[in-house]
Amino acid sequence: MGSGRYPGLAVDLGKLRHNIDMVKRACDDNGVEIAGVIKGCTGLTECARQFAEAGCRFIASSRLEQLEHLRENGIATPLMMIRVPMLSEAADVVRITDISLNSEIEVLRALNEEAGKQDRKHQVILMADLGDLREGFWDREEITEAALITERELQNLELAGVGTNLGCYGAVAATAEKLNELVACAEDIESRIGRKLEFISGGATSSLPRILEGDLPPRINMLRLGEGILLAADLQELWGYDMSFLHKDVFTLRAEVIEVKDKPSHPVGEIMFDAFGNRPVYEDRGIRKRALIAVGKVDYAFCEDLVPADKGVVVLGASSDHTILDIQDAERDIKVGDILEFRPHYSNLVYLSSSPNVEIVYI
């Protein structure tokens, strides 16, 4: 799959499936369902298919167009919308997805109306803001009232559960104490509506440490997992967890060398602003052997997050369409036409997998 042109993004589906299976096994042991989040790889169908075939309960994204594409390409697993819906897209949310995360009564009413028009039942999870200050009801009474309205008045909706998000904006840790706040919120709602909720959705990859450490509150029974499976980098590199049981190289950026020269390490002339309006600072290390590769910020956004596969290669910087490397200490003799490989982080992957200039190749 793919013509072999560069830059390219190689996707190892076998390694991806391994990661899904390993994380799913750990979640299964804790009674936790997985919503496999595929927005990090821009909803690539072949990646989503691995989540589906592994038996994940849902496949999730924040983008309706990605979920619609999956449905059109034969993915039968229930689909979850994980960005709270725009009022203007209520009809499409009901048409495309099976379940959505919500935090506004007005949107819930619109979803109910659209579900009636389409003769469908749409599941909803009400989001509680526990302090990360992104989406969710802040006031406990307000979320309880929303639950009562959904349960008693919105007949085309099914109140499936409550959820939260931690770590994505406010960097608030998903501690056991925080997740117990969510359980308390759910149990308060359950006492008011007179039944158990199907799901208590305890967040995303930032909540995986609770499973790794064995202190996940027992009633948390769903996690929405993307980066922790796709790349398996953040928990190890930022939090220090041993994630050696997962592959870190599911995705590999491949780019072609287009220039190799000995050049000064410090620009010569008055330093002003770069192509993105920044005033960079450079270290003068004398004349160094440098290489350019034919990929740039337009394709991956943040060059500092790329990890070269070749020892001794250092990413110095980038413009829109070029990446500058120091190859003075590279272990091999790098020449024009060579293909260099890099491990992307999440910030890179969301760009690479959506760029029309980057060839996707499955291996």
Side-chain angles (χ1 to χ4, degrees), residues 8-79:
L9 182 68
V11 185
D12 191 319
L13 295 176
K15 290 181 178 179
L16 174 58
R17 179 59 184 269
H18 168 89
N19 285 5
I20 298 169
D21 287 343
M22 293 297 289
V23 173
K24 188 175 184 298
R25 185 181 307 166
C27 287
D28 287 346
D29 290 344
N30 286 268
V32 173
E33 301 271 14
I34 291 178
V37 180
I38 45 77
K39 67 185 177 73
C41 58
T42 320
L44 293 174
T45 301
E46 294 305 317
C47 293
R49 201 178 309 281
Q50 301 307 308
F51 284 95
E53 292 178 355
C56 292
R57 181 65 179 272
F58 298 101
I59 293 176
S61 180
S62 58
R63 307 286 174 165
L64 281 177
E65 62 271 18
Q66 294 177 11
L67 295 173
E68 185 170 31
H69 180 75
L70 297 183
R71 190 64 83 221
E72 291 171 347
N73 283 273
I75 300 296
T77 300
L79 301 179

Side-chain angles (χ1 to χ4, degrees), residues 38-293:
I38 45 77
K39 67 185 177 73
C41 58
T42 320
L44 293 174
T45 301
E46 294 305 317
C47 293
R49 201 178 309 281
Q50 301 307 308
F51 284 95
E53 292 178 355
C56 292
R57 181 65 179 272
F58 298 101
I59 293 176
S61 180
S62 58
R63 307 286 174 165
L64 281 177
E65 62 271 18
Q66 294 177 11
L67 295 173
E68 185 170 31
H69 180 75
L70 297 183
R71 190 64 83 221
E72 291 171 347
N73 283 273
I75 300 296
T77 300
L79 301 179
M80 174 185 285
M81 175 69 164
I82 58 170
R83 186 200 62 211
V84 293
M86 293 183 278
L87 191 61
S88 61
E89 65 185 0
D92 286 336
V93 170
V94 171
R95 177 177 62 84
I96 297 167
T97 74
D98 301 279
I99 186 168
S100 59
L101 311 183
N102 285 271
S103 62
E104 287 287 350
I105 292 287
E106 186 177 4
V107 176
L108 288 166
R109 292 189 187 280
L111 292 172
N112 180 66
E113 182 179 351
E114 290 296 340
K117 290 178 182 178
Q118 297 180 36
D119 194 25
R120 297 189 59 168
K121 197 82 168 180
H122 183 76
Q123 291 187 306
V124 295
I125 289 176
L126 302 185
M127 296 295 283
D129 190 336
L130 302 183
D132 202 65
L133 303 182
R134 199 178 71 177
E135 79 275 44
F137 293 92
W138 178 254
D139 183 81
R140 180 68 65 83
E141 188 55 39
E142 186 184 7
I143 192 172
T144 303
E145 181 65 20
L148 287 169
I149 290 172
T150 303
E151 183 79 358
R152 297 173 179 175
E153 300 178 22
L154 306 182
Q155 301 304 311
N156 303 307
L157 300 184
E158 178 187 336
L159 177 59
V162 297
T164 196
N165 177 76
L166 293 164
C168 285
Y169 170 71
V172 171
T175 61
E177 291 76 16
K178 273 294 176 190
L179 293 179
N180 273 318
E181 291 180 30
L182 181 64
V183 172
C185 175
E187 291 178 345
D188 184 39
I189 289 172
E190 289 172 337
S191 70
R192 299 287 293 275
I193 65 175
R195 67 173 179 86
K196 292 286 189 182
L197 295 167
E198 185 177 2
F199 300 118
I200 302 180
S201 184
T205 293
S206 58
S207 296
L208 261 183
R210 305 284 60 80
I211 286 180
L212 298 175
E213 294 189 17
D215 61 352
L216 183 76
R219 289 216 58 198
I220 301 294
N221 62 2
M222 182 207 287
L223 293 178
R224 309 178 305 275
L225 302 177
E227 191 280 338
I229 290 173
L230 296 173
L231 296 171
D234 285 357
L235 290 183
Q236 182 163 312
E237 296 175 10
L238 301 179
W239 295 84
Y241 287 94
D242 179 8
M243 305 300 288
S244 58
F245 62 99
L246 299 180
H247 293 291
K248 313 300 188 298
D249 57 349
V250 171
F251 299 89
T252 302
L253 168 62
R254 294 171 172 169
E256 185 172 337
V257 177
I258 56 175
E259 178 184 294
V260 175
K261 304 283 187 190
D262 290 336
K263 292 187 179 183
S265 52
H266 194 285
V268 178
E270 183 179 359
I271 303 297
M272 295 295 291
F273 301 96
D274 66 15
F276 293 87
N278 303 309
R279 190 189 291 270
V281 176
Y282 302 94
E283 179 185 359
D284 191 345
R285 301 180 62 199
I287 301 296
R288 303 281 295 180
K289 190 174 185 181
R290 296 153 67 98
L292 295 182
I293 53 174

